[in-house]
Amino acid sequence: MRNAQHRVALESACRGLLQQYLRAIDTHSWESLHQVFTADAVFARNGAAPLRGVAEITGFFTRLEDGRHARGERHRTQHHLTTVWVNVDDTTRIVATSYVLVMRQVLEEDTSDPVFRMRPPELLLQYEDEVRLEGTQWRLCRHEARHLFRAAGAVAPR
Amino acid sequence: MTETQRLIMESSCRQLLGLYLTCVDAKNLGAMLEAFAPDVEWVRPGMPPMLGHADIRTFFETLWTKQSKVTPLGDLTRHLLTTVSLQPRTEDRASGISYAMVFRARAFDGKLPAPLSEPELIVEYRDEFSRCGGDWRIRRHEARHIFRSALWQPSLSEQEVAGLNLGTAPPA
C-alpha cells in the first residue's frame, strides 16, 4: 500500500495526463503527445490494430487531420473529462478508468467564429489507461478508448 | 488542517466518488462498498434511507436482479462526475457537493456503442466524508435529482421498495 502523499501524487499525475491528452486532441497539438505517452506506448482502438509507440500515435492523428482537410472538413471538438478513478493501491500497475463526453462540430466553411453551435454530445467514451514512470515523468503507456454511447448520425473518426 | 492534509483529503474524497461511480456502472458491488463507511447513511429520492452495507447490498442486488430479468446485462449506465466542491470540517471530517450526469441504455443487449440521447438525470450529491484509521470513507451520501428527463423511470416500485425491509439487517 502506498502512503497517502504518494497516492495523491499518482492521482494528480494521472488526471493531469488525461487532461493534457484531451487538450492535445482538441487543439490538434499532435507533437505535445510526446509529453503524454511513453515512447513505446500502446494505443488500442475500436475495431482496428493498436498503434505502437508515440511516433505511430502522432502519425495517426496527423493523417486523420490531413484527411479531413483534404475533404474540406474542419472538426472542432471538446472532450469533457468527467469521472476518473485511479487504482493507486495496486503496487504492480497504475491504471485509471475515466469517462469522457465528446462534443463535435464539423465546419465545412472557413470561419473564425470561436463559438461552438450547441448540439447534443456525439460520444460517451470510457478510457482505460495505464501509466508508468519514464525517467522522472509519468506517462501513459497504454490507452484504450471504448465507445459506450454514440449519438444517431455520428460516425467513427476517419 | 495543513495544506498537505487538505490535498490528501481532496484527492481521497474525489477518488471515493470515482470508485463509487465506476463500480456502480460496472455493477461491482463488493468494490463499490469499499468507498463507504460500514455505518453509512445513503439517502435516495423516493425511498427510506439505506443504513450500512447490508441495506445497500439488498437494494442493488434487488435492482440488478430485476433488470437482469429483462436482459441478462440489465441497464448500461454511466455516471459522469463533473463539478466537485470539497470542504474540510475537521482533520477527520469533510463535506462535498458534486454534480453528475447519468446516461442510461435500458435493457442493454451488449452491442456497443449504445444509442446516446439526453442524460436521464442530472444529480447533485451531498456527501459527508470521515477518516478512520487513516482511510477516508463516505459516511453519508445523499443523491438529489435536479434535472430529470422524460426518459427517467423509478428504479423500483413502491411495493418493491417496501419489500427491501431496509434498516432491519443486523449491523455488519
Side-chain angles (χ1 to χ4, degrees), chain A residues 92-137:
Chain A
T92 58
R93 298 169 66 213
I94 300 156
V95 292
T97 298
S98 56
Y99 302 155
V100 172
L101 201 59
V102 184
M103 312 293 292
R104 182 186 304 273
Q105 183 181 8
V106 181
L107 307 164
E108 288 173 1
E109 70 284 353
D110 194 15
T111 175
S112 56
D113 187 347
V115 180
F116 285 68
R117 190 182 315 138
M118 180 62 77
R119 51 177 41 135
E122 176 190 68
L123 283 172
L124 197 168
L125 307 173
Q126 177 165 326
Y127 288 168
E128 301 290 339
D129 290 278
E130 185 174 349
V131 301
R132 197 180 74 210
L133 266 177
E134 192 170 63
T136 59
Q137 301 295 321

CSV table of all heavy atoms in Angstrom, one decimal, chain A residues 92-137:
chain,number,residue,atom,x,y,z
A,92,THR,N,1.6,-3.1,-8.5
A,92,THR,CA,2.3,-3.6,-9.7
A,92,THR,C,2.0,-2.8,-11.0
A,92,THR,O,2.8,-2.6,-11.8
A,92,THR,CB,1.9,-5.1,-10.0
A,92,THR,OG1,0.5,-5.1,-10.2
A,92,THR,CG2,2.3,-6.0,-8.8
A,93,ARG,N,0.8,-2.2,-11.0
A,93,ARG,CA,0.4,-1.4,-12.2
A,93,ARG,C,-0.4,-0.2,-11.7
A,93,ARG,O,-1.1,-0.3,-10.7
A,93,ARG,CB,-0.5,-2.2,-13.1
A,93,ARG,CG,0.1,-3.4,-13.7
A,93,ARG,CD,-1.0,-4.3,-14.4
A,93,ARG,NE,-1.5,-3.6,-15.6
A,93,ARG,CZ,-2.8,-3.7,-15.9
A,93,ARG,NH1,-3.6,-4.4,-15.3
A,93,ARG,NH2,-3.2,-3.0,-17.0
A,94,ILE,N,-0.3,0.9,-12.4
A,94,ILE,CA,-1.2,2.0,-12.1
A,94,ILE,C,-2.1,2.2,-13.2
A,94,ILE,O,-1.7,2.6,-14.3
A,94,ILE,CB,-0.3,3.3,-11.8
A,94,ILE,CG1,0.6,3.0,-10.7
A,94,ILE,CG2,-1.2,4.5,-11.5
A,94,ILE,CD1,1.8,3.9,-10.7
A,95,VAL,N,-3.4,1.9,-13.0
A,95,VAL,CA,-4.4,2.0,-14.0
A,95,VAL,C,-5.5,3.0,-13.6
A,95,VAL,O,-5.8,3.2,-12.5
A,95,VAL,CB,-5.0,0.6,-14.3
A,95,VAL,CG1,-4.0,-0.3,-15.0
A,95,VAL,CG2,-5.6,0.0,-13.1
A,96,ALA,N,-6.1,3.6,-14.6
A,96,ALA,CA,-7.1,4.6,-14.4
A,96,ALA,C,-8.3,4.3,-15.3
A,96,ALA,O,-8.1,4.0,-16.5
A,96,ALA,CB,-6.6,6.0,-14.6
A,97,THR,N,-9.5,4.5,-14.8
A,97,THR,CA,-10.7,4.4,-15.6
A,97,THR,C,-11.3,5.8,-15.6
A,97,THR,O,-11.4,6.5,-14.6
A,97,THR,CB,-11.7,3.4,-14.9
A,97,THR,OG1,-11.1,2.1,-14.9
A,97,THR,CG2,-13.0,3.4,-15.7
A,98,SER,N,-11.7,6.3,-16.8
A,98,SER,CA,-12.3,7.6,-16.8
A,98,SER,C,-13.4,7.6,-17.9
A,98,SER,O,-13.5,6.8,-18.8
A,98,SER,CB,-11.3,8.7,-17.1
A,98,SER,OG,-10.6,8.4,-18.3
A,99,TYR,N,-14.3,8.6,-17.8
A,99,TYR,CA,-15.4,8.8,-18.7
A,99,TYR,C,-15.2,10.1,-19.4
A,99,TYR,O,-15.0,11.1,-18.7
A,99,TYR,CB,-16.8,8.7,-18.0
A,99,TYR,CG,-17.1,7.5,-17.3
A,99,TYR,CD1,-18.1,7.6,-16.2
A,99,TYR,CD2,-16.6,6.3,-17.5
A,99,TYR,CE1,-18.4,6.5,-15.5
A,99,TYR,CE2,-16.9,5.2,-16.7
A,99,TYR,CZ,-17.8,5.3,-15.7
A,99,TYR,OH,-18.2,4.2,-15.0
A,100,VAL,N,-15.4,10.2,-20.7
A,100,VAL,CA,-15.2,11.4,-21.5
A,100,VAL,C,-16.5,11.6,-22.4
A,100,VAL,O,-16.9,10.7,-23.0
A,100,VAL,CB,-14.0,11.3,-22.3
A,100,VAL,CG1,-13.9,12.5,-23.3
A,100,VAL,CG2,-12.7,11.2,-21.4
A,101,LEU,N,-17.0,12.8,-22.3
A,101,LEU,CA,-18.1,13.2,-23.2
A,101,LEU,C,-17.6,14.0,-24.3
A,101,LEU,O,-16.8,15.0,-24.1
A,101,LEU,CB,-19.1,14.0,-22.3
A,101,LEU,CG,-20.6,14.1,-22.8
A,101,LEU,CD1,-21.2,12.7,-22.9
A,101,LEU,CD2,-21.4,14.9,-21.8
A,102,VAL,N,-17.9,13.7,-25.5
A,102,VAL,CA,-17.3,14.4,-26.7
A,102,VAL,C,-18.4,15.2,-27.4
A,102,VAL,O,-19.4,14.7,-27.8
A,102,VAL,CB,-16.8,13.4,-27.7
A,102,VAL,CG1,-16.1,14.1,-28.9
A,102,VAL,CG2,-15.8,12.4,-27.1
A,103,MET,N,-18.0,16.5,-27.5
A,103,MET,CA,-18.8,17.4,-28.3
A,103,MET,C,-18.1,17.7,-29.6
A,103,MET,O,-16.9,17.9,-29.6
A,103,MET,CB,-19.0,18.8,-27.6
A,103,MET,CG,-19.4,18.7,-26.1
A,103,MET,SD,-21.1,18.0,-25.9
A,103,MET,CE,-22.1,19.4,-26.6
A,104,ARG,N,-18.8,17.7,-30.7
A,104,ARG,CA,-18.1,17.8,-32.0
A,104,ARG,C,-18.9,18.8,-32.9
A,104,ARG,O,-20.1,18.7,-32.9
A,104,ARG,CB,-17.9,16.5,-32.7
A,104,ARG,CG,-17.1,16.6,-34.1
A,104,ARG,CD,-17.1,15.3,-34.8
A,104,ARG,NE,-16.5,14.3,-34.0
A,104,ARG,CZ,-15.2,14.0,-34.0
A,104,ARG,NH1,-14.3,14.7,-34.7
A,104,ARG,NH2,-14.8,13.0,-33.2
A,105,GLN,N,-18.2,19.6,-33.6
A,105,GLN,CA,-18.8,20.5,-34.7
A,105,GLN,C,-18.0,20.3,-35.9
A,105,GLN,O,-16.7,20.4,-35.8
A,105,GLN,CB,-18.9,21.9,-34.2
A,105,GLN,CG,-19.6,22.8,-35.2
A,105,GLN,CD,-19.6,24.3,-34.8
A,105,GLN,OE1,-19.0,24.7,-33.8
A,105,GLN,NE2,-20.3,25.1,-35.5
A,106,VAL,N,-18.6,20.0,-37.0
A,106,VAL,CA,-17.9,19.8,-38.3
A,106,VAL,C,-18.2,21.1,-39.1
A,106,VAL,O,-19.3,21.3,-39.4
A,106,VAL,CB,-18.3,18.6,-39.0
A,106,VAL,CG1,-17.5,18.5,-40.3
A,106,VAL,CG2,-18.0,17.3,-38.2
A,107,LEU,N,-17.1,21.8,-39.4
A,107,LEU,CA,-17.3,23.1,-40.1
A,107,LEU,C,-16.9,22.8,-41.6
A,107,LEU,O,-15.8,22.3,-41.9
A,107,LEU,CB,-16.4,24.2,-39.6
A,107,LEU,CG,-16.5,24.4,-38.1
A,107,LEU,CD1,-15.3,25.2,-37.6
A,107,LEU,CD2,-17.8,25.1,-37.8
A,108,GLU,N,-17.8,23.1,-42.5
A,108,GLU,CA,-17.5,22.9,-43.9
A,108,GLU,C,-17.1,24.2,-44.6
A,108,GLU,O,-16.6,24.1,-45.7
A,108,GLU,CB,-18.7,22.2,-44.6
A,108,GLU,CG,-18.8,20.8,-44.1
A,108,GLU,CD,-20.1,20.1,-44.7
A,108,GLU,OE1,-20.8,20.8,-45.4
A,108,GLU,OE2,-20.3,18.9,-44.3
A,109,GLU,N,-17.2,25.3,-43.9
A,109,GLU,CA,-16.8,26.5,-44.5
A,109,GLU,C,-15.8,27.2,-43.6
A,109,GLU,O,-15.7,26.9,-42.4
A,109,GLU,CB,-17.9,27.5,-44.8
A,109,GLU,CG,-18.6,28.1,-43.5
A,109,GLU,CD,-19.5,27.2,-42.7
A,109,GLU,OE1,-19.7,26.0,-43.2
A,109,GLU,OE2,-19.9,27.5,-41.6
A,110,ASP,N,-14.9,28.0,-44.1
A,110,ASP,CA,-13.9,28.6,-43.3
A,110,ASP,C,-14.6,29.7,-42.4
A,110,ASP,O,-15.3,30.5,-42.9
A,110,ASP,CB,-12.9,29.3,-44.2
A,110,ASP,CG,-11.6,29.7,-43.4
A,110,ASP,OD1,-11.4,29.2,-42.3
A,110,ASP,OD2,-10.9,30.5,-44.0
A,111,THR,N,-14.4,29.5,-41.1
A,111,THR,CA,-15.0,30.5,-40.2
A,111,THR,C,-14.0,30.7,-39.0
A,111,THR,O,-13.3,29.9,-38.6
A,111,THR,CB,-16.3,30.0,-39.6
A,111,THR,OG1,-16.8,31.0,-38.7
A,111,THR,CG2,-16.2,28.7,-39.0
A,112,SER,N,-14.0,32.0,-38.6
A,112,SER,CA,-13.2,32.2,-37.4
A,112,SER,C,-14.0,32.4,-36.1
A,112,SER,O,-13.5,32.8,-35.1
A,112,SER,CB,-12.4,33.5,-37.7
A,112,SER,OG,-13.3,34.6,-37.9
A,113,ASP,N,-15.3,32.0,-36.3
A,113,ASP,CA,-16.2,32.1,-35.1
A,113,ASP,C,-15.7,31.2,-34.0
A,113,ASP,O,-15.7,30.0,-34.2
A,113,ASP,CB,-17.6,31.8,-35.5
A,113,ASP,CG,-18.7,32.0,-34.4
A,113,ASP,OD1,-18.2,32.2,-33.3
A,113,ASP,OD2,-19.9,32.0,-34.7
A,114,PRO,N,-15.4,31.7,-32.8
A,114,PRO,CA,-14.9,30.8,-31.8
A,114,PRO,C,-15.9,30.0,-31.0
A,114,PRO,O,-15.6,29.2,-30.2
A,114,PRO,CB,-14.2,31.8,-30.8
A,114,PRO,CG,-14.9,33.0,-31.0
A,114,PRO,CD,-15.4,33.1,-32.4
A,115,VAL,N,-17.2,30.3,-31.3
A,115,VAL,CA,-18.3,29.7,-30.5
A,115,VAL,C,-18.8,28.5,-31.2
A,115,VAL,O,-19.2,28.5,-32.4
A,115,VAL,CB,-19.4,30.7,-30.3
A,115,VAL,CG1,-20.5,30.1,-29.4
A,115,VAL,CG2,-18.9,32.0,-29.6
A,116,PHE,N,-18.9,27.4,-30.5
A,116,PHE,CA,-19.5,26.1,-31.0
A,116,PHE,C,-21.0,26.3,-31.1
A,116,PHE,O,-21.6,26.9,-30.2
A,116,PHE,CB,-19.3,25.0,-30.0
A,116,PHE,CG,-17.9,24.4,-29.9
A,116,PHE,CD1,-16.8,25.2,-29.5
A,116,PHE,CD2,-17.6,23.2,-30.4
A,116,PHE,CE1,-15.6,24.7,-29.4
A,116,PHE,CE2,-16.4,22.6,-30.3
A,116,PHE,CZ,-15.3,23.4,-29.8
A,117,ARG,N,-21.6,25.7,-32.2
A,117,ARG,CA,-23.0,25.7,-32.2
A,117,ARG,C,-23.5,24.6,-31.3
A,117,ARG,O,-22.9,23.4,-31.4
A,117,ARG,CB,-23.5,25.3,-33.7
A,117,ARG,CG,-25.0,25.5,-33.9
A,117,ARG,CD,-25.4,25.1,-35.3
A,117,ARG,NE,-24.4,25.7,-36.3
A,117,ARG,CZ,-24.0,25.0,-37.4
A,117,ARG,NH1,-24.4,23.8,-37.6
A,117,ARG,NH2,-23.2,25.6,-38.2
A,118,MET,N,-24.4,24.8,-30.4
A,118,MET,CA,-24.8,23.8,-29.4
A,118,MET,C,-25.6,22.7,-30.1
A,118,MET,O,-26.5,22.9,-30.9
A,118,MET,CB,-25.8,24.5,-28.4
A,118,MET,CG,-26.3,23.6,-27.3
A,118,MET,SD,-24.9,22.9,-26.3
A,118,MET,CE,-24.6,24.3,-25.3
A,119,ARG,N,-25.1,21.5,-29.8
A,119,ARG,CA,-25.8,20.3,-30.2
A,119,ARG,C,-25.6,19.2,-29.2
A,119,ARG,O,-24.7,19.4,-28.3
A,119,ARG,CB,-25.4,19.9,-31.6
A,119,ARG,CG,-23.9,19.7,-31.8
A,119,ARG,CD,-23.6,19.2,-33.2
A,119,ARG,NE,-24.5,19.9,-34.2
A,119,ARG,CZ,-24.1,20.3,-35.3
A,119,ARG,NH1,-22.9,20.3,-35.7
A,119,ARG,NH2,-25.0,20.9,-36.2
A,120,PRO,N,-26.3,18.1,-29.2
A,120,PRO,CA,-26.1,17.1,-28.2
A,120,PRO,C,-24.7,16.5,-28.3
A,120,PRO,O,-24.1,16.6,-29.3
A,120,PRO,CB,-27.2,16.1,-28.5
A,120,PRO,CG,-28.2,16.8,-29.4
A,120,PRO,CD,-27.4,17.8,-30.1
A,121,PRO,N,-24.2,15.9,-27.2
A,121,PRO,CA,-22.9,15.2,-27.3
A,121,PRO,C,-23.0,14.1,-28.4
A,121,PRO,O,-24.0,13.5,-28.6
A,121,PRO,CB,-22.8,14.6,-25.9
A,121,PRO,CG,-23.7,15.3,-25.0
A,121,PRO,CD,-24.9,15.8,-25.9
A,122,GLU,N,-21.8,13.9,-28.9
A,122,GLU,CA,-21.7,12.9,-30.0
A,122,GLU,C,-21.4,11.5,-29.4
A,122,GLU,O,-21.9,10.5,-29.9
A,122,GLU,CB,-20.5,13.3,-30.9
A,122,GLU,CG,-20.3,12.3,-32.0
A,122,GLU,CD,-19.0,12.6,-32.8
A,122,GLU,OE1,-17.9,12.5,-32.2
A,122,GLU,OE2,-19.1,13.0,-34.0
A,123,LEU,N,-20.5,11.5,-28.4
A,123,LEU,CA,-20.0,10.2,-27.9
A,123,LEU,C,-19.8,10.3,-26.4
A,123,LEU,O,-19.5,11.3,-25.9
A,123,LEU,CB,-18.6,9.9,-28.5
A,123,LEU,CG,-18.4,9.4,-29.9
A,123,LEU,CD1,-16.9,9.4,-30.3
A,123,LEU,CD2,-19.0,8.0,-30.1
A,124,LEU,N,-20.0,9.1,-25.8
A,124,LEU,CA,-19.6,8.9,-24.4
A,124,LEU,C,-18.6,7.8,-24.4
A,124,LEU,O,-18.9,6.7,-24.8
A,124,LEU,CB,-20.8,8.6,-23.5
A,124,LEU,CG,-20.7,8.8,-22.0
A,124,LEU,CD1,-22.0,8.7,-21.3
A,124,LEU,CD2,-19.7,7.8,-21.4
A,125,LEU,N,-17.3,8.1,-24.0
A,125,LEU,CA,-16.3,7.1,-24.1
A,125,LEU,C,-15.9,6.7,-22.7
A,125,LEU,O,-16.0,7.5,-21.7
A,125,LEU,CB,-15.0,7.8,-24.7
A,125,LEU,CG,-15.2,8.4,-26.1
A,125,LEU,CD1,-13.9,9.2,-26.5
A,125,LEU,CD2,-15.5,7.4,-27.1
A,126,GLN,N,-15.3,5.5,-22.6
A,126,GLN,CA,-14.7,5.0,-21.3
A,126,GLN,C,-13.2,4.8,-21.7
A,126,GLN,O,-12.9,4.0,-22.6
A,126,GLN,CB,-15.3,3.8,-20.8
A,126,GLN,CG,-14.6,3.2,-19.5
A,126,GLN,CD,-15.4,2.2,-18.8
A,126,GLN,OE1,-16.6,2.3,-18.8
A,126,GLN,NE2,-14.8,1.2,-18.2
A,127,TYR,N,-12.3,5.4,-21.0
A,127,TYR,CA,-10.9,5.2,-21.2
A,127,TYR,C,-10.4,4.3,-20.1
A,127,TYR,O,-10.8,4.4,-18.9
A,127,TYR,CB,-10.1,6.6,-21.0
A,127,TYR,CG,-10.3,7.6,-22.2
A,127,TYR,CD1,-9.8,8.9,-22.0
A,127,TYR,CD2,-10.8,7.2,-23.4
A,127,TYR,CE1,-9.9,9.8,-23.0
A,127,TYR,CE2,-10.9,8.2,-24.4
A,127,TYR,CZ,-10.5,9.5,-24.2
A,127,TYR,OH,-10.6,10.4,-25.2
A,128,GLU,N,-9.5,3.4,-20.5
A,128,GLU,CA,-8.7,2.6,-19.6
A,128,GLU,C,-7.3,2.9,-19.9
A,128,GLU,O,-6.8,2.7,-21.0
A,128,GLU,CB,-9.0,1.1,-19.8
A,128,GLU,CG,-10.5,0.7,-19.6
A,128,GLU,CD,-10.9,0.8,-18.2
A,128,GLU,OE1,-10.1,0.7,-17.2
A,128,GLU,OE2,-12.2,0.9,-18.0
A,129,ASP,N,-6.6,3.4,-18.9
A,129,ASP,CA,-5.2,3.9,-19.1
A,129,ASP,C,-4.3,3.3,-18.1
A,129,ASP,O,-4.6,3.0,-17.0
A,129,ASP,CB,-5.1,5.4,-19.0
A,129,ASP,CG,-5.8,6.1,-20.2
A,129,ASP,OD1,-5.1,6.2,-21.2
A,129,ASP,OD2,-6.9,6.5,-20.0
A,130,GLU,N,-3.1,3.0,-18.5
A,130,GLU,CA,-2.0,2.6,-17.6
A,130,GLU,C,-0.9,3.6,-17.7
A,130,GLU,O,-0.5,4.1,-18.8
A,130,GLU,CB,-1.5,1.2,-18.0
A,130,GLU,CG,-0.5,0.6,-17.0
A,130,GLU,CD,-0.1,-0.8,-17.3
A,130,GLU,OE1,-0.8,-1.5,-18.2
A,130,GLU,OE2,0.9,-1.3,-16.7
A,131,VAL,N,-0.3,4.0,-16.5
A,131,VAL,CA,0.8,4.9,-16.5
A,131,VAL,C,2.0,4.3,-16.0
A,131,VAL,O,2.0,3.3,-15.2
A,131,VAL,CB,0.4,6.2,-15.7
A,131,VAL,CG1,-0.8,6.9,-16.2
A,131,VAL,CG2,0.2,5.9,-14.2
A,132,ARG,N,3.1,4.9,-16.3
A,132,ARG,CA,4.4,4.4,-16.0
A,132,ARG,C,5.4,5.6,-15.9
A,132,ARG,O,5.2,6.6,-16.6
A,132,ARG,CB,4.9,3.4,-17.0
A,132,ARG,CG,6.0,2.5,-16.6
A,132,ARG,CD,6.4,1.6,-17.8
A,132,ARG,NE,7.1,2.3,-18.8
A,132,ARG,CZ,7.1,2.0,-20.1
A,132,ARG,NH1,6.3,1.0,-20.6
A,132,ARG,NH2,7.8,2.7,-21.0
A,133,LEU,N,6.4,5.4,-15.0
A,133,LEU,CA,7.4,6.5,-15.0
A,133,LEU,C,8.4,6.3,-16.2
A,133,LEU,O,8.9,5.2,-16.4
A,133,LEU,CB,8.3,6.3,-13.7
A,133,LEU,CG,7.8,7.2,-12.5
A,133,LEU,CD1,8.7,6.9,-11.3
A,133,LEU,CD2,7.9,8.7,-12.8
A,134,GLU,N,8.6,7.4,-16.9
A,134,GLU,CA,9.6,7.4,-18.0
A,134,GLU,C,10.6,8.4,-17.6
A,134,GLU,O,10.3,9.6,-17.6
A,134,GLU,CB,9.0,7.7,-19.3
A,134,GLU,CG,9.9,7.4,-20.5
A,134,GLU,CD,9.2,7.5,-21.9
A,134,GLU,OE1,8.7,8.6,-22.2
A,134,GLU,OE2,9.1,6.5,-22.6
A,135,GLY,N,11.7,8.0,-17.0
A,135,GLY,CA,12.7,8.9,-16.4
A,135,GLY,C,12.0,9.4,-15.1
A,135,GLY,O,11.7,8.6,-14.2
A,136,THR,N,11.8,10.7,-15.0
A,136,THR,CA,11.2,11.2,-13.8
A,136,THR,C,9.8,11.7,-14.0
A,136,THR,O,9.1,12.2,-13.2
A,136,THR,CB,12.0,12.4,-13.3
A,136,THR,OG1,12.0,13.4,-14.3
A,136,THR,CG2,13.4,12.1,-12.9
A,137,GLN,N,9.3,11.4,-15.2
A,137,GLN,CA,7.9,11.9,-15.6
A,137,GLN,C,6.9,10.7,-15.8
A,137,GLN,O,7.3,9.7,-16.4
A,137,GLN,CB,8.0,12.7,-16.9
A,137,GLN,CG,8.9,13.9,-16.9
A,137,GLN,CD,8.4,14.9,-16.0
A,137,GLN,OE1,7.2,15.2,-15.8
A,137,GLN,NE2,9.4,15.5,-15.2
